[in-house]
Amino acid sequence: MENIGQIKTLISEADLKKRVEELAKQIYEDYNKRSITFICILKGSVFFTVDLAKHIPSNVKLEFIRVSSYHGTESTGKIELKIDLKDDIEGEDVLIIEDIVDTGRTLSYLKEYLKTKNPKSLKICTLLDKKERRVCEIEPEYVGFNIPDKFVLGYGLDVDEEYRNLPYIGYIDNV
Ligand code: 5GP
């Protein structure tokens, strides 16, 4: 692991917990207690998906998909599907669970792809939103926190596959 400098806290563990619980309550009410299919975008959304699902009292099905567009801290703009869905989502209320929306390229690609699977509804829930970096028109229905244009890590988010396990969202000034 290269030296990445000092990690500063952007969102504390307590603030994450509180906001995730609020989002879960809002989602539960909006879906009127119906069953929801969460599509967790690997690997970054794993922590958020699990915590969110645990706070929804109705049935939540879990599906996983993996795309890659990033190398280190820079987007290449090219999206590749690395792991596809295993089950059919036709006719289901689908909520894509994302860790962070940056340019919006990943979600634009995924939304178009998932629409071809004919879900009953398709919405997006992101923990973090870096709105000022947007290139594609993507408006998530649920947003945990709007954040400034900083490279963040922790709570599922990595720096070259490291530091996903931090229980808070941090940032490093020198990357
Ligand atoms: P987008 O396609 O919206 O530009 O980027 C979405 C993906 O880029 C996220 O799912 C995440 O994997 C990665 N990403 C964007 N910004 C950050 C960041 O600040 N930190 C980390 N670790 N990943 C990021």
Side-chain angles (χ1 to χ4, degrees):
M1 175 77 220
E2 63 192 282
N3 181 12
I4 58 164
Q6 202 197 348
I7 301 172
K8 296 178 181 162
T9 303
L10 184 67
I11 306 168
S12 70
E13 189 174 1
D15 287 344
L16 281 174
K17 186 173 184 296
K18 185 167 168 275
R19 187 69 187 119
V20 169
E21 287 175 14
E22 284 170 4
L23 282 173
K25 187 168 181 285
Q26 193 188 340
I27 291 166
Y28 176 60
E29 287 168 4
D30 289 356
Y31 283 82
N32 208 9
K33 302 173 188 173
R34 290 196 308 276
S35 178
I36 315 167
T37 301
F38 276 12
I39 297 190
C40 169
I41 307 181
L42 295 169
K43 301 176 186 174
S45 309
V46 167
F47 290 60
F48 179 40
T49 302
V50 170
D51 285 346
L52 195 61
K54 280 195 294 191
H55 289 98
I56 295 182
S58 52
N59 182 42
V60 174
K61 286 175 71 178
L62 292 180
E63 290 293 332
F64 298 89
I65 202 162
R66 183 164 183 205
V67 289
S68 83
S69 59
Y70 273 66
H71 298 284
T73 59
E74 271 307 307
S75 172
T76 58
K78 190 171 167 283
I79 317 285
E80 265 178 72
L81 189 62
K82 296 274 188 185
I83 298 175
D84 202 351
L85 296 177
K86 296 284 180 243
D87 290 325
D88 198 7
I89 56 163
E90 185 164 348
E92 299 186 2
D93 283 307
V94 171
L95 189 57
I96 303 172
I97 313 293
E98 177 63 301
D99 49 4
I100 185 165
V101 189
D102 186 24
T103 63
R105 286 192 184 104
T106 306
L107 281 174
S108 261
Y109 166 87
L110 267 181
K111 246 193 132 172
E112 287 315 304
Y113 173 68
L114 292 172
K115 269 190 209 162
T116 67
K117 309 275 177 193
N118 299 317
K120 181 173 159 207
S121 66
L122 183 62
K123 291 184 180 175
I124 297 168
C125 174
T126 185
L127 178 67
L128 307 174
D129 194 349
K130 273 199 240 177
K131 261 204 158 94
E132 65 190 91
R133 296 250 314 156
R134 205 71 101 253
V135 171
C136 301
E137 264 185 53
I138 281 288
E139 276 295 335
E141 282 79 4
Y142 302 96
V143 175
F145 300 89
N146 283 298
I147 63 162
D149 182 12
K150 287 184 187 299
F151 188 82
V152 292
L153 70 162
Y155 197 62
L157 289 144
D158 71 315
V159 183
D160 289 335
E161 290 301 327
E162 305 207 16
Y163 291 105
R164 291 191 196 273
N165 58 308
L166 297 179
Y168 59 91
I169 300 285
Y171 68 95
I172 352 167
D173 276 335
N174 62 344
V175 287

Coordinates of all heavy atoms in Angstrom, one line a residue, residues 2 8 15 27 44 46 52-53 87 94 118 122 125 133 143 153:
E2 N 0.6 2.1 -1.0 CA 1.4 3.4 -1.0 C 1.0 4.2 0.2 O -0.1 4.0 0.7 CB 1.1 4.1 -2.3 CG -0.3 4.5 -2.4 CD -0.7 4.9 -3.8 OE1 -0.4 6.1 -4.2 OE2 -1.4 4.1 -4.5
K8 N -9.0 12.0 6.8 CA -9.8 12.9 7.6 C -11.2 12.4 7.6 O -11.6 11.9 6.5 CB -9.7 14.3 7.2 CG -8.3 14.9 7.3 CD -8.2 16.3 6.8 CE -6.7 16.8 7.0 NZ -6.4 17.9 6.1
D15 N -23.3 9.6 12.2 CA -24.1 10.3 11.2 C -24.5 9.4 10.1 O -25.7 9.5 9.6 CB -23.3 11.5 10.6 CG -23.2 12.6 11.6 OD1 -24.0 12.6 12.6 OD2 -22.4 13.5 11.4
I27 N -38.0 4.8 2.5 CA -38.1 3.8 1.4 C -39.3 2.8 1.8 O -40.2 2.6 1.0 CB -36.8 3.0 1.2 CG1 -35.8 4.0 0.5 CG2 -37.0 1.8 0.3 CD1 -34.4 3.4 0.5
G44 N -18.5 -1.5 -3.8 CA -18.6 -0.3 -2.9 C -19.9 -0.2 -2.1 O -19.9 0.4 -1.1
V46 N -21.7 -2.5 -0.7 CA -22.1 -3.7 0.1 C -22.5 -3.2 1.5 O -23.5 -3.6 2.1 CB -20.9 -4.7 0.2 CG1 -21.1 -5.7 1.3 CG2 -20.8 -5.4 -1.1
L52 N -28.9 -0.7 5.1 CA -30.2 -0.2 4.7 C -31.3 -1.3 4.8 O -32.4 -1.1 5.3 CB -30.1 0.3 3.2 CG -31.2 1.2 2.7 CD1 -31.3 2.5 3.5 CD2 -30.8 1.5 1.2
A53 N -30.9 -2.5 4.2 CA -31.9 -3.6 4.2 C -32.3 -4.0 5.6 O -33.5 -4.3 5.8 CB -31.3 -4.8 3.4
D87 N -30.5 -13.7 -11.0 CA -32.0 -14.0 -11.1 C -32.7 -12.9 -11.9 O -32.2 -11.8 -12.2 CB -32.6 -14.0 -9.7 CG -32.1 -15.3 -9.0 OD1 -31.9 -16.3 -9.6 OD2 -31.9 -15.2 -7.7
V94 N -37.6 -2.5 -8.4 CA -36.2 -2.6 -8.2 C -35.6 -1.3 -7.8 O -35.9 -0.2 -8.3 CB -35.5 -3.0 -9.6 CG1 -34.0 -2.9 -9.5 CG2 -36.0 -4.5 -9.9
N118 N -37.1 -5.5 -17.9 CA -38.5 -5.3 -17.6 C -38.9 -5.3 -16.1 O -39.9 -6.0 -15.8 CB -39.4 -6.2 -18.4 CG -39.2 -6.1 -19.9 OD1 -39.1 -4.9 -20.3 ND2 -39.0 -7.2 -20.6
L122 N -38.1 1.1 -11.5 CA -36.6 1.1 -11.4 C -36.2 2.5 -10.8 O -36.4 3.5 -11.5 CB -36.0 0.9 -12.7 CG -34.5 0.8 -12.8 CD1 -33.9 -0.3 -12.0 CD2 -34.0 0.7 -14.3
C125 N -31.0 4.6 -5.3 CA -30.7 5.1 -4.0 C -29.2 5.2 -3.8 O -28.5 4.2 -4.0 CB -31.3 4.2 -2.9 SG -30.8 4.6 -1.2
R133 N -19.9 17.1 -10.2 CA -19.1 16.4 -11.2 C -19.9 15.7 -12.3 O -19.4 15.0 -13.2 CB -18.3 15.3 -10.4 CG -17.3 15.8 -9.4 CD -15.9 15.6 -9.8 NE -15.7 14.3 -10.3 CZ -14.7 13.9 -11.1 NH1 -13.9 14.8 -11.6 NH2 -14.6 12.7 -11.5
V143 N -31.1 10.1 -1.8 CA -29.7 10.5 -1.6 C -29.4 10.7 -0.1 O -30.1 11.3 0.6 CB -29.4 11.9 -2.3 CG1 -28.0 12.4 -2.0 CG2 -29.6 11.8 -3.8
L153 N -13.3 7.7 0.9 CA -13.1 6.3 1.1 C -13.7 5.8 2.4 O -14.2 6.6 3.2 CB -11.6 6.0 1.2 CG -10.8 6.5 2.4 CD1 -9.5 5.8 2.5 CD2 -10.5 8.0 2.3

